[in-house]
Amino acid sequence: MALRGNVYRILEDIVGPQNISEEPVILDTYAFQWLAETISGTKFCTRPEAVLLPGNVEEVQAIIKACNRYGIRYKAFSTGWGPWNTVEGEGVLQLDLRRMNRILEIDEKNMYAVVEPYVIGSQLQVEAMRKGLNCHLIGAGANTSILASATSMAGYGLTGIFTGYSNCNVLAVEWVLPDGEVLRLGSLGSGAGWFGGDGPGPSLRGVMRGMIGALGGLGVFTKCGVKLYPWYGPPTTPIEGIHPLDGMPIPESFRVHSLTFPSWEALADAVYRIGEAEIGYVMGRALPPGLIPALNVGSATEYAQMLQLVSTEGMMDEFKYAIQIFLGANSARELEYQERALEEILSESGGKIILMLEEQSVKNILFRHLIKSEGISRVFQLAGTFATSLGAGTSWDAAVASSKFGEQLKRKYIERGAIADDGGDLAWGGAYQHGRFGHLEEIIMYDFQDADSLKGADEYVEESAQATIEKSLGQPISIVRGMAEHFGPTSCDYHIWMRRIKKAFDPNITADPSFYIEPEQPPGK
Amino acid sequence: MTLQDYRNDIQRCSRCSLCKWLPLAQIKSWRFANACPSMVWGNFHAYSAGGRMIAALSLLDGRIDYTDKLVEIVYQCQMGGACDVSCKVNRDLDPLEVMLELRAKCVEDGQVLPAHMVMIESLRSDDNVLGELKAERGKWAEDLDVKDITKEKADVLYFAGCRYSFDQDLWKIARDTIALLKMAGVDVGISGKEEACCGGRAFEIGYRGEFTKYAEHSIETWNAADVRTVVTSCSDCYGAFKFHYPRIGKKMNFEVLHITEYLDRLIKEGRLKPTKKVPLQVTYHDPCHLGRLSEPYIPWEGVERKVLGQVVIKDPPKEYRRGTNGIYEPPRDVLRSIQGLELVEMERIKEYAWCCGAGGGVMEAYPEFAQWTADERIEEAKATGAEALVTACPWCERSFRDALEHNGAKIKLYDIVELLLEAL
Ligand SMILES: Cc1cc2nc3c(=O)[nH]c(=O)nc-3n(C[C@H](O)[C@H](O)[C@@H](O)COP(=O)(O)OP(=O)(O)OC[C@H]3O[C@@H](n4cnc5c(N)ncnc54)[C@H](O)[C@@H]3O)c2cc1C
Ligand code: SF4
Ligand code: SF4
């Protein structure tokens, strides 16, 4: 079904002929996604009807108004990584926001930045660092959009002990509502600039994104303010060495360690203590045992060889109850305090520094990976793809409990030969906001081109999701589609509220609800 | 390997878009964070390396058919390979090889561009891609006192390449090169009008038959003439010798050097002594074909095997080209050897360099895109504050000259050879 001639022309008039396409080759590049095979059985999800590249808020608004007038759905995205960016059903427009790519402001004094959707993490980070500041980067990588994470989806990252979670980093927002009206949230709503998310002016943070985000189901966010944090390193961050052994020299103001503990319990306690002491710039399980070998290898084959080696030599045991921590401070005394606090926490919890990872070159690599947030796509390297499970944003103790369960469950699938044998423990995540909450997601790596492996991975994800209800492990990170229907009843019926929000904000159902919530309850539910 | 052979790898693309950017840790500013000219120019995902991989998969799977748009997407790319370097930071994929195979398939299926046909016609009739007469090929050196290697032996064969042979604006650089070599006492010869195209451009635009013909011709001729050292000052040709020639599996009994490598060697051996001051602040543009695209081709034949349950490994292990072994220091060392000259670096350098715009048949088929790409590089050069942009390739030189003519930017342009000659 092509767009009716006049509709295409109307949209073309809005964005210009260069910025709209119905070409199958172009559409297919928006339908192809990671995990598509779990939805459609192929690498392609539904093709959008057309792709539009709006260049500013006025164009977005005009498109949405036209969609309301002609009964057309749309789905917007920022960088578009992941199946939740794809459209569902026929005739849906894809709005690729990449032409809206400016950093509008970095307010050094008040420590915030204002960005458009297609500013990626690395871009904001390097500009902020020049001014002695840093931004919250998510674990997905600094190739993702700052705004998308702030306004529309999740927000976990390993500096979270220091920089929090994306829903608390978002400040004022410019939001084109599903009916085409522009709403300015927070201080922007009262003409006071971008510094506040909750006022002076309207605060709708909970409605706009809540914990997980509306995943494109509630209109389009065109600008937002985000908090910035102190950066204790130099204004520019040179990289030394040749890939994959390239590292970022650790500035005087930082310490980098990997810590190991005698048990999950000891690790959990230590993390709480670290949070209470308000120390740490980076903290979490950046390198669960199965990812250790990925740190400095050049290929999947080398990674696999290394994984085999460390598994057989029992080296993985050292990393069983391990976390990485970076301390950072703006004075020698503050850094000394943090070091002493960490020493005390280690001695009380029976923890120790992993000497094997104390070598300077290794620490430099780790520093690059985590400060620049650029290592995660390694999880695609071993088997071709990965999926994740469990990982509720919850208390740190509950996160630890879920990862213990996750490892057990994974072993079943490893023994079946369905997923990569990474040793079983690939629980990735951390504790955020000085330990107020945390998350650990259990990652599996599998070969989607192998029917048994794909089937096994699907079953694992399904079984782990089901277990989160049975074992009260919190809402999993894995099922994004239909998640609210499934988990709402176990969590204060939040799906009912979401549905009401969807109906109130989007009476004509123009914003593709497929990864948010269907406005009507599906029959039989 | 054919496009079909890359099908598994293509499907493993995660659509992460990392190929659009410099490797993340290498990004130094908002302004110069992009790696892929095609993506910034075309904006739809299809114009990225990842996008072209998806297009290739759609084509293989019969989801799409050839259209003008598909052909434009395939060819609106300089094949400079910055995408490939960025992708490989964390992945074992070969987006550049896939794009090369996609072009070969297009040509096989008759999906070609008129502008490229003109190049190929010229190749077939006159052994060059510039539409010039073969008989004119040696003209750039007509009155030079240099040996004709087809008549007498010389230690070094200087290979001018099509651009230096026919682009009269650039003849001076080729002539300066000969002058430098002679000053160093090098026994150098040229092939004059007997020289033929290296075939590299034909390879890049998908014409495998033509490429093989020229590669075989060069290797056989030079092997037969017992040539020991080939020196070229064209980075494109150099890249072809290093990256593409090994693909045909013919032994090359000669060493190939880029002029910057050779001059660096001559300076270090004391055979050239740059003593005159050249007070100039310059920035150096790494030509793609001298940098990441000159990294030698690594042949691999093998199979995928499973270990550790579902871990997919290549057996035998496959080595990947990551651009780190390109020619980066020799040109810089030559510049550093010149007294009074100060080298300041741009943000995107070495294997992360932004393309000049000329490669992959773009200059011929999409001149506006080529010029915009060059404009971008000139902006980056200007941002360093340098007075001059220096390069080491006639295609880059041509691209920058054209851009400077139309954008009027106030920055001087040199080839390294010109500056070195000034210093002697
Ligand atoms: C390999 C991988 C690892 C991941 N790891 C993490 C992680 O560690 N932490 C984490 O928090 N998340 C993670 N994610 C999830 C997700 O990619 C991010 O949360 C997302 O915010 C990243 O930004 P993006 O640019 O990719 O967003 P996009 O992919 O562009 O968008 C994400 C969602 O938000 C919607 N959206 C985006 N921009 C807008 C807009 N301007 N207006 C309206 N809707 C919009 C889209 O429709 C989509 O549903 C991961 C994803 C992948 C693929
Ligand atoms: S080609 Fe590589 S870098 Fe580009 S989207 Fe695919 S996996 Fe990512
Ligand atoms: S070769 Fe250059 S233009 Fe082509 S996709 Fe790669 S980076 Fe982009």
Side-chain angles (χ1 to χ4, degrees):
Chain A
M1 189 181 90
L3 288 171
R4 277 171 290 143
N6 63 328
V7 176
Y8 188 89
R9 271 196 303 281
I10 286 163
L11 295 171
E12 190 181 49
D13 283 348
I14 296 170
V15 292
Q18 285 299 314
N19 298 312
I20 180 168
S21 178
E22 287 184 306
E23 285 282 340
V25 56
I26 288 190
L27 303 184
D28 259 7
T29 63
Y30 289 85
F32 179 101
Q33 274 294 358
W34 166 52
L35 293 180
E37 61 282 355
T38 63
I39 297 171
S40 69
T42 76
K43 283 305 298 174
F44 296 89
C45 293
T46 311
R47 257 187 202 167
E49 198 61 39
V51 181
L52 282 88
L53 300 163
N56 52 47
V57 61
E58 290 77 20
E59 289 182 12
V60 172
Q61 193 176 22
I63 293 167
I64 294 185
K65 285 196 167 156
C67 286
N68 275 276
R69 199 169 320 126
Y70 296 102
I72 301 168
R73 288 188 177 183
Y74 60 87
K75 163 80 73 83
F77 73 61
S78 295
T79 74
W81 192 14
W84 38 82
N85 292 287
T86 61
V87 303
E88 186 174 80
E90 287 209 344
V92 187
L93 304 179
Q94 186 102 63
L95 310 188
D96 176 345
L97 303 177
R98 76 166 258 121
R99 289 177 62 226
M100 300 169 70
N101 64 357
R102 293 171 302 166
I103 298 174
L104 296 167
E105 186 184 350
I106 293 183
D107 184 328
E108 203 172 330
K109 199 162 139 225
N110 294 300
M111 295 170 72
Y112 70 81
V114 183
V115 291
E116 291 187 326
Y118 200 71
V119 172
I120 62 162
S122 297
Q123 287 179 303
L124 181 60
Q125 185 183 57
V126 290
E127 295 298 342
M129 280 180 170
R130 286 175 203 255
K131 298 176 192 287
L133 298 168
N134 196 1
C135 55
H136 175 64
L137 294 181
I138 59 169
N143 47 319
T144 58
S145 153
I146 290 285
L147 177 142
S149 183
T151 61
S152 302
M153 187 170 183
Y156 300 111
L158 288 179
T159 52
I161 186 90
F162 186 68
T163 60
Y165 178 72
S166 291
N167 75 349
C168 63
N169 278 308
V170 62
L171 302 172
V173 173
E174 181 183 81
W175 178 8
V176 185
L177 296 173
D179 65 359
E181 193 186 329
V182 177
L183 180 62
R184 293 180 177 84
L185 291 185
S187 47
L188 195 64
S190 59
W194 297 89
F195 68 89
D198 302 301
S203 167
L204 284 181
R205 193 192 297 256
V207 167
M208 175 187 84
R209 63 149 293 159
M211 183 72 182
I212 299 296
L215 278 72
L218 273 186
V220 182
F221 302 98
T222 44
K223 294 182 190 88
C224 78
V226 288
K227 288 181 196 168
L228 296 175
Y229 295 85
W231 164 242
Y232 306 123
T236 54
T237 49
I239 301 298
E240 290 175 0
I242 289 184
H243 191 74
L245 300 177
D246 44 343
M248 197 162 122
I250 301 168
E252 288 277 290
S253 43
F254 279 91
R255 297 287 180 271
V256 171
H257 299 299
S258 293
L259 312 176
T260 184
F261 298 88
S263 64
W264 270 119
E265 287 67 29
L267 183 155
D269 285 349
V271 166
Y272 276 117
R273 298 281 316 273
I274 287 168
E276 276 163 24
E278 297 198 358
I279 61 172
Y281 198 90
V282 164
M283 204 269 315
R285 284 193 109 219
L287 287 179
L291 281 182
I292 290 272
L295 193 59
N296 54 4
V297 294
S299 69
T301 310
E302 282 176 37
Y303 182 172
Q305 284 165 345
M306 190 74 91
L307 188 59
Q308 274 169 318
L309 183 81
V310 294
S311 312
T312 47
E313 295 198 348
M315 280 152 81
M316 298 280 245
D317 299 345
E318 180 102 22
F319 302 103
K320 180 88 200 83
Y321 311 113
I323 54 168
Q324 279 65 47
I325 188 163
F326 296 179
L327 307 176
N330 63 7
S331 72
R333 276 188 66 199
E334 160 73 4
L335 192 58
E336 192 193 328
Y337 159 73
Q338 293 200 25
E339 284 183 286
R340 282 180 28 212
L342 182 63
E343 262 170 40
E344 202 172 304
I345 293 167
L346 285 177
S347 83
E348 284 174 11
S349 57
K352 60 178 189 198
I353 289 173
I354 301 177
L355 295 177
M356 211 188 308
L357 296 186
E358 281 296 293
E359 198 193 307
Q360 195 59 42
S361 60
V362 175
K363 296 210 290 192
N364 288 358
I365 296 173
L366 199 57
F367 197 63
R368 169 175 67 86
H369 271 302
L370 299 187
I371 293 294
K372 294 284 168 181
S373 189
E374 65 155 9
I376 198 66
S377 47
R378 286 269 181 195
V379 289
F380 291 96
Q381 200 175 24
L382 266 194
T385 197
F386 83 102
T388 190
S389 62
L390 306 169
T394 177
S395 72
W396 176 245
D397 275 335
V400 166
S402 94
S403 74
K404 277 185 186 171
F405 165 74
E407 185 183 348
Q408 247 179 33
L409 183 65
K410 249 179 88 175
R411 287 200 182 280
K412 193 169 97 184
Y413 289 85
I414 290 174
E415 273 156 33
R416 203 173 108 181
I419 58 176
D421 182 358
D422 54 20
D425 176 4
L426 218 78
W428 182 94
Y432 314 115
Q433 296 175 342
H434 296 303
R436 269 191 283 281
F437 82 110
H439 106 291
L440 282 171
E441 52 190 279
E442 191 63 64
I443 291 170
I444 57 167
M445 299 183 280
Y446 67 98
D447 179 7
F448 63 90
Q449 301 185 75
D450 175 318
D452 291 337
S453 188
L454 177 58
K455 183 163 171 286
D458 277 349
E459 284 172 17
Y460 166 80
V461 170
E462 184 62 37
E463 193 176 345
S464 61
Q466 203 49 44
T468 58
I469 297 178
E470 286 153 16
K471 296 182 181 298
S472 306
L473 295 173
Q475 183 172 295
I477 206 164
S478 48
I479 304 179
V480 187
R481 209 176 216 195
M483 176 148 74
E485 299 294 348
H486 207 67
F487 292 94
T490 68
S491 312
C492 313
D493 281 335
Y494 74 83
H495 61 302
I496 296 175
W497 293 100
M498 274 171 66
R499 184 165 284 132
R500 285 184 186 157
I501 292 168
K502 176 69 181 168
K503 279 189 186 169
F505 278 74
D506 192 6
N508 297 325
I509 322 293
T510 53
D512 180 351
S514 53
F515 285 85
Y516 180 50
I517 194 158
E518 289 295 338
E520 297 303 332
Q521 189 165 333
K525 288 266 174 178
Chain B
M1 281 168 83
T2 65
L3 192 56
Q4 184 64 37
D5 297 327
Y6 283 105
R7 199 170 180 287
N8 282 355
D9 266 6
I10 294 173
Q11 295 209 72
R12 292 182 188 124
C13 162
S14 72
R15 205 193 186 282
C16 62
S17 294
L18 282 160
C19 49
K20 297 171 187 170
W21 303 100
L22 293 195
L24 300 177
Q26 297 293 341
I27 290 178
K28 296 182 181 69
S29 72
W30 172 87
R31 175 67 180 86
F32 300 117
N34 283 288
C36 172
S38 178
M39 187 62 210
V40 185
W41 179 253
N43 269 323
F44 291 104
H45 185 73
Y47 290 87
S48 65
R52 289 187 185 87
M53 299 240 283
I54 301 168
L57 182 65
S58 286
L59 195 62
L60 285 174
D61 287 359
R63 289 175 58 92
I64 55 171
D65 211 340
Y66 287 110
T67 59
D68 289 349
K69 189 48 117 188
L70 171 57
V71 174
E72 179 196 284
I73 286 165
V74 170
Y75 288 109
Q76 218 167 73
C77 152
Q78 283 98 351
M79 306 302 267
C83 49
D84 201 67
V85 170
S86 291
C87 177
K88 283 179 176 140
V89 169
N90 284 317
R91 301 302 307 276
D92 298 354
L93 305 179
D94 276 316
L96 181 61
E97 289 295 328
V98 172
M99 294 193 297
L100 286 164
E101 291 307 326
L102 180 58
R103 287 187 170 195
K105 178 171 166 54
C106 283
V107 171
E108 231 177 82
D109 295 344
Q111 301 294 325
V112 295
L113 293 179
H116 291 177
M117 278 303 293
V118 170
M119 292 161 76
I120 295 299
E121 288 305 328
S122 159
L123 204 50
R124 287 174 185 156
S125 60
D126 288 283
D127 290 339
N128 71 78
V129 288
L130 296 177
E132 302 287 344
L133 292 173
K134 184 172 174 66
E136 312 267 287
R137 189 151 188 134
K139 251 185 146 177
W140 66 273
E142 232 167 37
D143 52 350
L144 282 185
D145 176 21
V146 59
K147 279 183 178 173
D148 179 346
I149 207 138
T150 61
K151 299 199 178 104
E152 55 185 324
K153 270 191 169 296
D155 291 344
V156 167
L157 166 64
Y158 175 73
F159 184 82
C162 299
R163 180 58 63 189
Y164 275 135
S165 295
F166 296 108
D167 191 331
Q168 293 199 28
D169 292 344
L170 310 185
W171 278 2
K172 177 181 170 294
I173 300 169
R175 294 164 67 90
D176 283 356
T177 308
I178 297 292
L180 275 175
L181 294 177
K182 297 195 79 169
M183 282 167 89
V186 175
D187 176 28
V188 58
I190 59 171
S191 317
K193 69 176 184 325
E194 292 310 314
E195 188 185 276
C197 176
C198 67
R201 194 61 95 228
F203 187 86
E204 281 183 355
I205 61 176
Y207 290 79
R208 294 291 166 87
E210 275 69 17
F211 163 71
T212 306
K213 179 183 141 195
Y214 284 95
E216 277 175 356
H217 169 81
S218 306
I219 296 173
E220 281 164 12
T221 313
W222 297 338
N223 279 351
D226 204 18
V227 169
R228 288 296 146 102
T229 305
V230 177
V231 172
T232 181
S233 40
C234 175
S235 295
D236 255 63
C237 302
Y238 182 77
F241 298 144
K242 293 283 179 172
F243 182 29
H244 301 322
Y245 273 31
R247 293 168 195 261
I248 66 167
K250 269 203 180 312
K251 190 159 182 303
M252 293 157 71
N253 296 334
F254 45 89
E255 171 191 38
V256 179
L257 293 171
H258 186 258
I259 187 69
T260 55
E261 282 175 291
Y262 198 46
L263 293 175
D264 183 39
R265 199 185 271 182
L266 294 173
I267 293 166
K268 285 176 181 157
E269 284 170 359
R271 290 167 69 186
L272 284 175
K273 293 194 177 76
T275 45
K276 276 196 221 145
K277 276 197 172 166
V278 181
L280 196 65
Q281 198 185 44
V282 306
T283 190
Y284 172 67
H285 165 77
D286 289 279
C288 304
H289 289 83
L290 183 59
R292 56 190 169 247
L293 295 181
S294 81
E295 193 169 282
Y297 177 72
I298 310 174
W300 179 81
E301 248 179 79
V303 289
E304 286 190 344
R305 216 161 50 77
K306 290 257 174 91
V307 296
L308 293 165
Q310 295 294 338
V311 174
V312 186
I313 60 160
K314 306 267 197 237
D315 188 12
K318 180 170 168 174
E319 251 187 87
Y320 290 88
R321 299 170 64 259
R322 292 196 154 74
T324 45
N325 294 319
I327 305 300
Y328 302 120
E329 288 313 316
R332 287 177 169 76
D333 281 350
V334 172
L335 289 172
R336 286 185 198 113
S337 75
I338 300 174
Q339 292 178 36
L341 187 139
E342 188 196 344
L343 173 64
V344 286
E345 295 283 12
M346 286 185 270
E347 287 187 18
R348 297 173 288 194
I349 56 167
K350 301 184 181 177
E351 66 264 45
Y352 317 118
W354 180 262
C355 167
C356 74
V362 165
M363 186 182 250
E364 295 79 1
Y366 304 105
E368 248 183 274
F369 171 39
Q371 205 159 76
W372 169 84
T373 309
D375 285 347
E376 276 291 295
R377 190 57 161 169
I378 290 166
E379 278 305 307
E380 192 177 347
K382 275 168 51 191
T384 65
E387 301 160 76
L389 172 61
V390 183
T391 188
C393 173
W395 292 87
C396 302
E397 176 94 17
R398 180 75 269 160
S399 197
F400 291 141
R401 276 190 186 216
D402 293 348
L404 285 171
E405 231 164 72
H406 95 105
N407 71 18
K410 298 268 168 292
I411 190 159
K412 294 175 196 148
L413 180 66
Y414 294 99
D415 188 277
I416 285 193
V417 160
E418 296 175 283
L419 292 176
L420 183 60
L421 193 62
E422 220 177 297
L424 288 166

